[in-house]
Amino acid sequence: MTVRYRIAVSEADAHLYEVQVTIDEPDASGARIAMPAWIPGSYLIRDYSRNVVSIRAEADGVGVALEKLDKRTWRAAPVSRPLTITAEIFAWDESVRGAHLDRRHAYFNGTCVFPVVIGRETEPCELEVVRPDAGYARGWRVATAMRRKHAEPYGFGTYEAASYEELIDHPFEIGELTIGEFDAGGVPHAIAIRGRVEADMGRLCRDLEQLCTTQLGFLGRPDDLDRYLFLLNAPASGYGGLEHRWSSSLVTSRDNLPRRGQGRVDENYRTFLGLASHEYFHLWNVKRIRPQVFASSDLAEEAYTELLWVFEGITSYYDDLLLLRSGLITADDYFELLGRTITRVQRGAGRSRQSVADSSFDAWIKFYKPDANASNAIVSYYAKGALIALCLDLKLRVETDGRVSLDDVMHACWERYGQSGEGMPERGFEAIAAEVSGLDLDDFFDATVRGTGELPLETLLAQHGVVLNRRRPATLTDRGGKAGGEEAPLAVRLGATLVRSNDVSEFVAVDNGGPAERAGVAPGDQAVALAGLRLDADNVDRRLRHLAPGDSMALHVFRDDELLALEIEFDEAREDVAWLAPDDAAGDDAKARRGAWLEQHNDGGDEAAESRDARQSG
Ligand code: ZN
């Protein structure tokens, strides 16, 4: 039996949706409904029920009592007629995990607005999306990958989903949209952009087509992938994404979109393409190949897994690699991106305190709740996970004489868990990697996934004809990836991050054991002066540039409104900035491995290269 939902704008200026759910034959003991506590893909308890500002139930126009059972669950008094529950839901979270509503647009994730009917999770759902009659909504269109039932393309009307799980896996963006459509691998794709954009939509669609075609050629088109939609919010600044089975929600600055007449992919546009590549790869890795614990979660409480490094780390490895393989970026670009990831991981002392397995497991209370001590205590399962994937890929290529790579392991994961829908057990990825390669990988996974030691990056990259170089930072915000510029690197380190907000510069993070911490600086301290001269986030590099290790001087900070006079002694700057370069002196074996790693496709490589050539000449 179908569960019927309806969503309408209640008051756009108060940011309120009116949501109804109608249950035709409610449970004899009283229907129970509940709001999810979290949204798949984002591992934090968000308690979406907190945005329910009013709720009532009725049957045949007569009120029915609703009892609240816990923070997210309600039970209606038993009735034998169709029961309708109506809720007003506050929507003022513009992130990809939220719901947002104003005169400009309506955006929502189903987790934020649609309660589940307990016991009816697997029944089909119907959703009526009501057109607001206010003048501001005259030009609004509806973008979603949910299947239309009675609605024109991009129109208001009725949509349908096979189950509650599918219902909440289709975000909606409703407003004045810029829409581009393209075909990739025989599947219709679209991108719907909200915000005042002046992007070259032709270029954008061509590049996305190239990217999606490459990815579809990598693991193969999932049987149920018959459409795909990128929803993009392009404000002045912001960055984020959330994956879904047939779509993704992206936020990126409008400056990251290609402009008319733009030549090669620049750093801004590369950032957008990397985000799109990341979310698209999730369509296989985490939406279809997924951990067992997610497959059985009812979104009521945390679902613990040590595998987020597989789903986010390996996705982070392939997002850039597939940009390279699709011809959208160059090998130099790719080396720059890898160098930045290595730098990011290298900088944080948290990597020696927390493993990626623990970071995955504790994502709910640590990675998603970062505080001032985060860089000392937490390792990113995205960034370090991507480097573990790199190490594993290179190790497999060396130790099997090029017979097996991470590509083959991903193919096997796709066949075993993706196509069957069976959830991946906690050691499932490691078992498949060992099985496909015939290698004993226990020590490797113990050390890299469950350990906190350094990764064998230098050796593995050298075996692939790539040199991993390290240097001191040129500025405190040096992200790495490139050889140093003209300016001499800093000779000393501060051991703290200084950020300007609202005209004051604050120490937002202080490195354990570093000069700032030894001087007594605490997170939240406001920078005042170094050696009697004003110190702020904009001049800190200039202030440090002429110092030498061992120099000691007065440092003044405000903690709350108390002026503290501290003494800081500077250390030698660390060589913690990484950059990669091809090694021209490498042996033929290493060069051949490099070629296979960076250019080889398992499927369709030549075809993709040919179509790329055709596009460039045409
Ligand atoms: Zn991701």
Side-chain angles (χ1 to χ4, degrees):
M1 191 162 295
T2 303
V3 181
R4 286 177 287 136
Y5 291 85
R6 180 182 187 275
I7 187 163
V9 170
S10 173
E11 286 181 56
D13 295 338
H15 322 296
L16 291 173
Y17 287 110
E18 184 191 80
V19 173
Q20 289 187 331
V21 52
T22 298
I23 310 154
D24 284 332
E25 285 177 25
D27 194 290
S29 59
R32 281 181 305 146
I33 62 160
M35 292 298 292
W38 58 282
I39 183 169
S42 184
Y43 309 107
L44 178 69
I45 296 298
R46 295 179 193 276
D47 287 331
Y48 291 112
S49 55
R50 63 204 284 272
N51 292 319
V52 175
V53 296
S54 71
I55 188 164
R56 62 192 154 84
E58 62 189 290
D60 283 349
V62 179
V64 173
L66 262 186
E67 183 190 358
K68 188 108 190 247
L69 300 181
D70 59 34
K71 67 176 181 179
R72 58 184 283 271
T73 315
W74 292 261
R75 181 172 56 207
V79 286
S80 53
R81 291 149 293 148
L83 176 76
T84 296
I85 293 162
T86 305
E88 274 196 311
I89 295 179
F90 180 65
W92 197 241
D93 172 1
E94 206 165 7
S95 80
V96 294
R97 319 129 190 148
H100 197 255
L101 172 64
D102 62 16
R103 291 175 180 222
R104 301 171 305 161
H105 81 136
Y107 172 82
F108 59 85
N109 281 288
T111 44
C112 307
V113 290
F114 301 133
V116 64
V117 179
I118 294 171
R120 301 288 187 86
E121 294 84 351
T122 58
E123 294 178 13
C125 300
E126 199 179 282
L127 171 63
E128 182 190 355
V129 184
V130 180
R131 175 189 281 283
D133 51 21
Y136 59 74
R138 212 167 290 135
W140 284 14
R141 290 193 284 175
V142 178
T144 182
M146 196 183 289
R147 206 173 289 291
R148 288 180 287 117
K149 189 174 184 190
H150 299 298
E152 296 297 310
Y154 305 109
F156 289 89
T158 312
Y159 290 75
E160 58 185 348
S163 63
Y164 179 76
E165 185 186 357
E166 191 196 320
L167 177 81
I168 58 170
D169 200 18
H170 291 291
F172 278 70
E173 179 69 86
I174 305 172
E176 291 181 13
L177 306 173
T178 305
I179 294 172
E181 295 180 330
F182 58 95
D183 181 282
V187 179
H189 285 60
I191 176 165
I193 311 178
R194 183 184 87 75
R196 297 174 188 179
V197 292
E198 283 180 34
D200 180 345
M201 292 300 288
R203 167 77 183 269
L204 189 59
C205 287
R206 278 196 307 277
D207 290 347
L208 286 174
E209 178 191 334
Q210 204 166 315
L211 172 64
C212 297
T213 303
T214 301
Q215 291 213 16
L216 287 164
F218 177 40
L219 290 179
R221 180 178 72 82
D223 288 340
D224 61 344
L225 190 81
D226 55 0
R227 75 270 190 207
Y228 192 85
L229 173 67
F230 292 101
L231 292 179
L232 173 62
N233 180 12
S237 64
Y239 183 83
L242 193 64
E243 66 276 7
H244 300 279
R245 258 176 104 97
W246 294 272
S247 62
S248 52
S249 276
L250 316 175
V251 176
T252 197
S253 162
R254 69 173 70 92
D255 295 338
N256 289 345
L257 298 177
R259 292 166 304 280
R260 251 167 281 264
Q262 176 166 341
R264 68 179 291 272
V265 173
D266 63 9
E267 188 175 336
N268 282 354
Y269 186 32
R270 189 177 74 189
T271 301
F272 166 74
L273 289 172
L275 177 63
S277 184
H278 182 94
E279 303 308 337
Y280 198 77
F281 193 76
H282 272 316
L283 154 182
W284 291 271
N285 197 31
V286 93
K287 293 312 296 186
R288 289 175 176 82
I289 309 170
R290 56 182 181 166
Q292 228 162 38
V293 295
F294 290 176
S296 59
S297 169
D298 62 1
L299 305 178
E301 56 195 27
E302 294 87 345
Y304 295 103
T305 176
E306 293 187 352
L307 287 176
L308 294 183
W309 79 269
V310 169
F311 294 99
E312 292 302 345
I314 294 180
T315 299
S316 298
Y317 174 58
Y318 275 108
D319 59 19
D320 292 335
L321 187 59
L322 290 167
L323 284 184
L324 173 67
R325 289 187 186 170
S326 64
L328 289 166
I329 64 171
T330 63
D332 284 349
D333 285 326
Y334 182 62
F335 285 154
E336 182 181 338
L337 291 166
L338 265 188
R340 285 186 177 181
T341 305
I342 295 170
T343 304
R344 202 155 63 235
V345 173
Q346 208 69 35
R347 284 255 173 87
R351 77 184 193 289
S352 59
R353 290 222 173 111
Q354 190 189 43
S355 69
V356 292
D358 289 343
S359 183
S360 299
F361 194 87
D362 276 338
W364 306 87
I365 56 163
K366 293 197 172 184
F367 188 77
Y368 270 93
K369 288 187 176 177
D371 59 17
N373 199 42
S375 68
N376 291 317
I378 296 177
V379 69
S380 164
Y381 51 77
Y382 284 81
K384 187 177 172 190
L387 298 184
I388 294 172
L390 168 68
C391 289
L392 178 60
D393 194 9
L394 301 185
K395 180 182 169 72
L396 294 176
R397 288 169 187 275
V398 170
E399 294 185 13
T400 65
D401 288 327
R403 189 176 50 81
V404 173
S405 72
L406 186 59
D407 293 2
D408 301 295
V409 177
M410 293 311 292
H411 272 279
C413 287
W414 173 239
E415 272 164 35
R416 178 87 48 89
Y417 297 112
Q419 291 180 320
S420 70
E422 187 192 328
M424 180 186 272
E426 289 294 288
R427 295 288 171 99
F429 177 81
E430 295 176 32
I432 285 193
E435 191 182 305
V436 169
S437 65
L439 300 174
D440 180 352
L441 297 169
D442 288 353
D443 289 349
F444 173 82
F445 287 121
D446 281 344
T448 60
V449 173
R450 285 172 287 280
T452 56
E454 301 295 342
L455 299 174
L457 286 161
E458 258 99 346
T459 312
L460 288 166
L461 285 166
Q463 287 168 329
H464 287 76
V466 178
V467 187
L468 169 52
N469 303 285
R470 295 180 195 278
R471 61 174 172 80
R472 288 178 289 157
T475 65
L476 291 185
T477 51
D478 191 337
R479 296 161 71 192
K482 285 183 170 161
E486 311 244 301
E487 199 144 34
L490 296 172
V492 300
R493 73 171 178 133
L494 174 63
T497 307
L498 200 51
V499 169
R500 175 186 285 281
S501 76
N502 299 331
D503 271 359
V504 300
S505 291
E506 255 183 36
F507 292 94
V508 293
V510 180
D511 300 345
N512 283 161
E517 188 189 79
R518 292 199 313 268
V521 174
D525 283 357
Q526 186 182 327
V528 177
L530 181 67
L533 295 173
R534 183 201 302 276
L535 179 69
D536 60 36
D538 300 323
N539 70 15
V540 62
D541 289 321
R542 267 182 286 134
R543 290 269 177 276
L544 299 190
R545 190 156 303 284
H546 303 293
L547 302 182
D551 284 357
S552 178
M553 60 201 64
L555 172 65
H556 286 84
V557 302
F558 271 120
R559 183 166 307 161
D560 194 10
D561 65 349
E562 296 177 40
L563 182 67
L564 304 187
L566 309 172
E567 183 76 15
I568 186 166
E569 184 184 340
F570 287 96
D571 285 351
E572 189 171 5
R574 290 182 175 165
E575 292 200 330
D576 59 5
V577 176
W579 61 282
L580 306 181
D583 180 7
D584 294 332
D588 289 345
D589 278 8
K591 282 182 177 164
R593 280 192 212 107
R594 184 174 74 208
W597 166 41
L598 297 178
E599 286 155 22
Q600 182 194 24
H601 270 256
N602 277 3
D603 307 290
D606 293 340
E607 255 173 62
E610 274 165 32
S611 73
R612 208 155 57 230
D613 293 345
R615 192 181 73 81
Q616 279 162 359
S617 60

